[in-house]
Amino acid sequence: MNIIDQKPIGKVILNENTPNRTPRLEHFLIPYYQRGYRWEKIHVIALLNDIYNFMRSDEKKYCLQPIVVVPALDHEGFNIWEVIDGQQRLITMNIIFNYINRPKYSIIFEKRDKSTDFLDNLSINSYSDENPDFHFMSQAHKLIKEWFEEKTKNDVGFIDEFNATLTKKVEIIWYQVEELTDENETEKEAKKIDIFNRLNIGKIPLTDAELIRALLLSKIKYGLTEREAILRQAEVSAEWHRIEMELRQEEFWYFLNKKPLNETPSTIEFLFRLIAQQAINKYSTYLWFENEIRNEDPEIEKNKAEELWKETKKFFGKLKFWFEDHFLYHHLGYVFSLEKNTEETIRSVINDSETTKSKFKQFVWDYVSAKISNIELDEIDELTYTKKSFEIYNLLFLHNVLSYYKNESSESNRFPFYLFNNMPGGWSIEHIHAQESKEMKEQNAMRKWLEDTYDAIKDIRQINHEDSEDTDSSNYSKFINEIIELLKKEKIDDEKFNILKLELIQVFDSDSIHYLDNLALLSKNDNAALNNSIFPVKRNKILELEKKGRYIPIATKNVFLKYYSEFDLQPYYWSKKDKENYYNNIKEILNPYFTKKESNE
């Protein structure tokens, strides 16, 4: 089983297990399949400054990123550490110790003896550009020399203080790969290269979750027989895998998160961040777990590791219950989708869940109500897109979510947060009929608008406006003929086009365009494609998008299918009656949350 630890840099140089070689110091092998040393000025100076800033802070310790090593033997039979990841940091610190003339570990480059000798004897008199290794090592030494010369101008004790800080207080995450021990040489070599490729060429760093896994598994085996330890570690690994796989299901993940699943190497790390309340810096979550577990008594370390794993499973159990409960799924999913810091919100809700089921559901109900608490029910007809777009977005989103929740026909028919929170580009508010827009003059845009409009209205014979007696079908023939004539032109007359466009908007669209009854949610990308289109064009495009598998929010789809109008034989016009029915449905569904009516759950 892999071993994970935090070691002061001094212990990386010399420790109680260092072989009794001459001189007695640790040796690190840089394998042949790794490229050489390549750190540039920005990396070298950043490391020096990080250590210096730590020296001047009140922090008790500072931790560097992991090094990944595999135990091996050198030609004399002494232990040597093969470096899978962390070569650049190890070599830079070696050069620092070289310059300040303090004990340092040895670096051996496999099949590159010249680089080994050059690093071991590096000084201002040996700088060379003979090959890349020599160049970057020389440059690093020069930068380190200049940095220390500046710091020691007025401080004769600076080097001693720096060395004491680096060796005693600066630690490194030590990840020791033991799982290769029993492999034959060919398989071992292949696996080492595979690990290296994953960590370096693939640009997939060692995650907090991987570090925590190694930490937990290395601690829980204390006091057990070899067989018992294998069984216990296998049990934890199986539980780990089950949690990881369940969280990786899109429906579950996007109920809790907006972070893209394909950018999440380990989903269980989400649980660890909730427990640790640490997500500021890389590896801060692992460091919290390591600090919680670390103790001089291995029995206490084992018990603490078991407690933290039990806590992890408890957190997972809560999240899964929320996901499976029809009420909690819709209400908490709505809240989580609106929050910028979802983890902080989930952590808060977990704390508030330590109560009875009914009290917790009432708390969740109130949480949702609070999202629209700055609006009164009798005020929503005054909300306008131009002044209250944030509030309108929250209302429209809640209306969509609750449209599923209120559907009593099937609890398996749930709002698809996995589609909503994973939508490229996000969401925006769409005007059901076209808003007033600037004149169009670009030829391709005008031609596309005319083509789409023609396809949408070519079969219309008349529109029955309930607030007008205009049923003259000749008007629509006139519009169709004008569109055909404009499309025949090699160059469309933009003045004639914009006059026709305005007339069509007035015929097919009613007034009060910026109020709630004329607004719906649509993805930003689809919204851009529908912009400036009249209602029948938008209706056609919405239907086409859904046929192609594009996710359309249920309320938006219902609008363009005239779902809210019980008797409607006019699919081409968003009438005042349509608006009234849509608006009344929104009010009916949201009413309990405005009045803060207690949940009946």
Side-chain angles (χ1 to χ4, degrees):
M1 190 58 62
N2 297 340
I3 297 171
I4 191 165
D5 199 2
Q6 275 178 247
K7 290 188 177 187
I9 299 302
K11 293 289 186 181
V12 176
I13 300 172
L14 176 66
N15 59 74
E16 57 274 12
N17 296 316
T18 302
N20 192 24
R21 54 164 67 94
T22 303
R24 185 169 170 264
L25 298 167
E26 289 292 334
H27 282 49
F28 292 87
L29 175 70
I30 309 301
Y32 70 91
Y33 52 79
Q34 291 200 34
R35 69 171 187 167
Y37 181 65
R38 296 295 183 272
W39 261 18
E40 299 184 5
K41 179 178 180 179
I42 187 173
H43 307 108
V44 175
I45 299 300
L47 177 62
L48 290 166
N49 286 340
D50 284 348
I51 298 169
Y52 175 74
N53 291 333
F54 167 63
M55 284 173 57
R56 295 291 178 258
S57 73
D58 295 327
E59 300 292 327
K60 293 183 178 180
K61 66 179 180 179
Y62 175 75
C63 194
L64 299 175
Q65 291 189 7
I67 62 168
V68 181
V69 297
V70 177
L73 297 176
D74 66 12
H75 64 282
E76 296 179 343
F78 291 123
N79 181 72
I80 189 171
W81 301 106
E82 184 171 340
V83 181
I84 305 298
D85 189 46
Q87 169 197 182
Q88 309 296 327
R89 287 183 297 281
L90 281 172
I91 294 176
T92 303
M93 287 190 291
N94 180 283
I95 297 172
I96 291 173
F97 289 124
N98 175 312
Y99 175 76
I100 64 177
N101 195 26
R102 297 295 189 274
K104 64 182 188 298
Y105 44 77
S106 291
I107 300 281
I108 296 99
F109 294 87
E110 188 177 22
K111 299 183 180 179
R112 298 210 306 276
D113 292 340
K114 284 186 176 181
S115 293
T116 301
D117 293 338
F118 185 83
L119 178 62
D120 197 43
N121 297 292
L122 182 58
S123 71
I124 58 174
N125 298 317
S126 64
Y127 292 170
S128 171
D129 292 322
E130 179 182 328
N131 61 49
D133 273 0
F134 291 8
H135 168 78
F136 284 100
M137 290 176 189
S138 299
Q139 179 177 269
H141 189 280
K142 183 174 183 292
L143 290 168
I144 291 166
K145 170 179 173 294
E146 293 171 351
W147 189 87
F148 274 101
E149 285 176 347
E150 178 64 27
K151 291 291 186 291
T152 55
K153 274 183 181 179
N154 304 304
D155 186 352
V156 295
F158 180 82
I159 287 179
D160 291 331
E161 182 185 2
F162 185 94
N163 183 65
T165 299
L166 181 54
T167 56
K168 300 289 186 184
K169 297 181 179 180
V170 174
E171 298 184 344
I172 200 161
I173 299 174
W174 179 271
Y175 193 100
Q176 185 173 322
V177 182
E178 288 286 313
E179 61 191 30
L180 303 181
T181 305
D182 298 329
E183 304 283 351
N184 63 50
E185 287 304 315
T186 302
E187 291 175 342
K188 185 188 296 186
E189 194 72 6
K191 286 190 176 182
K192 286 188 292 188
I193 294 174
D194 181 64
I195 294 171
F196 170 77
N197 287 339
R198 188 182 70 80
L199 294 174
N200 294 275
I201 297 175
K203 305 299 182 186
I204 305 175
L206 200 62
T207 65
D208 282 77
E210 290 173 303
L211 295 170
I212 291 169
R213 182 177 187 274
L215 176 66
L216 294 176
L217 292 179
S218 66
K219 300 300 182 183
I220 62 176
K221 66 181 182 179
Y222 176 78
L224 302 177
T225 65
E226 183 177 353
R227 176 172 173 75
E228 289 172 336
I230 291 173
L231 290 174
R232 180 64 185 127
Q233 290 174 331
E235 182 181 14
V236 171
S237 295
E239 292 170 335
W240 181 294
H241 180 73
R242 178 179 63 83
I243 293 172
E244 178 73 32
M245 290 301 99
E246 288 196 42
L247 280 173
R248 194 159 284 282
Q249 295 173 9
E250 285 190 333
E251 292 86 347
F252 197 177
W253 180 255
Y254 289 109
F255 160 64
L256 301 165
N257 278 279
K258 292 189 285 289
K259 182 178 180 181
L261 192 53
N262 59 6
E263 296 176 10
T264 307
S266 174
T267 57
I268 199 172
E269 192 172 303
F270 174 71
L271 297 178
F272 296 142
R273 289 198 300 270
L274 292 177
I275 294 170
Q277 303 184 29
Q278 299 282 330
I280 301 172
N281 301 312
K282 192 173 183 182
Y283 303 122
S284 58
T285 303
Y286 158 73
L287 293 174
W288 183 91
F289 270 77
E290 202 277 340
N291 187 59
E292 286 290 300
I293 291 174
R294 176 180 284 189
N295 193 283
E296 293 182 359
D297 186 341
E299 182 68 30
I300 294 176
E301 288 190 328
K302 174 190 174 180
N303 292 337
K304 192 63 181 178
E306 290 282 9
E307 288 174 13
L308 287 170
W309 181 238
K310 184 177 180 180
E311 185 79 355
T312 302
K313 293 191 292 181
K314 178 184 175 183
F315 271 48
F316 173 73
K318 282 183 178 292
L319 300 184
K320 187 174 182 182
F321 173 72
W322 298 351
F323 174 69
E324 293 176 344
D325 183 274
H326 192 64
F327 172 85
L328 295 175
Y329 171 82
H330 286 94
H331 290 74
L332 287 176
Y334 170 73
V335 170
F336 298 156
S337 297
L338 289 179
E339 296 290 347
K340 289 184 178 179
N341 191 336
T342 307
E343 290 179 16
E344 184 177 322
T345 303
I346 292 176
R347 195 179 296 118
S348 174
V349 175
I350 286 176
N351 292 335
D352 288 311
S353 69
E354 300 296 334
T355 183
T356 64
K357 183 178 179 181
S358 60
K359 286 183 178 179
F360 177 56
K361 288 195 172 183
Q362 183 61 57
F363 161 78
V364 172
W365 181 282
D366 293 339
Y367 210 142
V368 172
S369 294
K371 292 296 179 185
I372 55 175
S373 62
N374 60 334
I375 309 167
E376 296 295 333
L377 182 62
D378 57 3
E379 293 177 348
I380 68 171
D381 59 347
E382 300 298 324
L383 295 176
T384 64
Y385 171 80
T386 53
K387 294 182 179 178
K388 295 283 186 177
S389 60
F390 176 78
E391 288 81 356
I392 287 176
Y393 178 90
N394 285 0
L395 290 176
L396 292 175
F397 181 28
L398 183 57
H399 178 234
N400 275 276
V401 173
L402 295 178
S403 293
Y404 280 91
Y405 171 65
K406 295 290 185 180
N407 184 355
E408 299 176 355
S409 62
S410 173
E411 288 203 353
S412 62
N413 187 22
R414 312 201 302 172
F415 183 85
F417 290 107
Y418 71 100
L419 295 175
F420 190 87
N421 289 331
N422 193 30
M423 179 60 68
W427 296 89
S428 64
I429 299 171
E430 163 73 0
H431 287 76
I432 297 169
H433 69 63
Q435 59 177 316
E436 296 175 8
S437 58
K438 295 180 180 179
E439 291 187 347
M440 296 171 64
K441 296 197 174 188
E442 204 276 319
Q443 286 290 313
N444 289 336
M446 289 190 293
R447 190 170 296 279
K448 183 70 168 62
W449 193 95
L450 290 170
E451 290 171 347
D452 290 340
T453 302
Y454 174 78
D455 288 338
I457 72 171
K458 62 185 179 182
D459 296 322
I460 298 176
R461 294 296 174 261
Q462 67 181 37
I463 296 178
N464 297 316
H465 298 77
E466 70 271 15
D467 55 337
S468 172
E469 296 182 357
D470 179 15
T471 61
D472 185 0
S473 62
S474 63
N475 287 337
Y476 305 104
S477 298
K478 166 182 170 293
F479 291 139
I480 291 171
N481 290 333
E482 288 186 27
I483 290 173
I484 292 172
E485 287 302 313
L486 284 174
L487 286 173
K488 287 179 179 179
K489 304 293 185 181
E490 184 175 342
K491 182 178 181 181
I492 297 172
D493 185 312
D494 59 89
E495 184 177 352
K496 289 183 179 179
F497 166 83
N498 283 292
I499 291 173
L500 175 61
K501 174 171 168 282
L502 181 60
E503 289 177 348
L504 282 166
I505 288 175
Q506 290 172 344
V507 167
F508 283 94
D509 298 332
S510 54
D511 54 7
S512 65
I513 61 173
H514 291 312
Y515 288 97
L516 187 62
D517 58 9
N518 187 52
L519 302 171
L521 289 184
L522 197 63
S523 74
K524 288 183 179 178
N525 293 338
D526 293 334
N527 198 343
L530 297 183
N531 193 27
N532 296 319
S533 300
I534 59 176
F535 183 84
V537 174
K538 290 184 178 183
R539 183 179 186 276
N540 284 357
K541 289 189 175 182
I542 289 289
L543 295 176
E544 288 174 10
L545 287 170
E546 190 176 41
K547 287 178 182 177
K548 292 177 180 178
R550 194 75 56 86
Y551 169 61
I552 307 296
I554 187 170
T556 305
K557 182 169 64 174
N558 286 344
V559 160
F560 287 96
L561 291 178
K562 295 297 193 79
Y563 172 87
Y564 300 109
S565 300
E566 187 173 355
F567 300 103
D568 189 89
L569 300 176
Q570 182 55 270
Y572 309 111
Y573 174 64
W574 186 239
S575 68
K576 287 185 177 180
K577 187 63 176 176
D578 293 327
K579 288 184 175 184
E580 182 182 337
N581 292 336
Y582 175 48
Y583 175 75
N584 287 339
N585 184 266
I586 293 174
K587 288 185 68 173
E588 178 186 352
I589 287 180
L590 300 189
N591 176 59
Y593 301 85
F594 282 109
T595 58
K596 297 181 176 60
K597 173 183 174 182
E598 290 189 2
S599 165
N600 293 320
E601 294 297 317

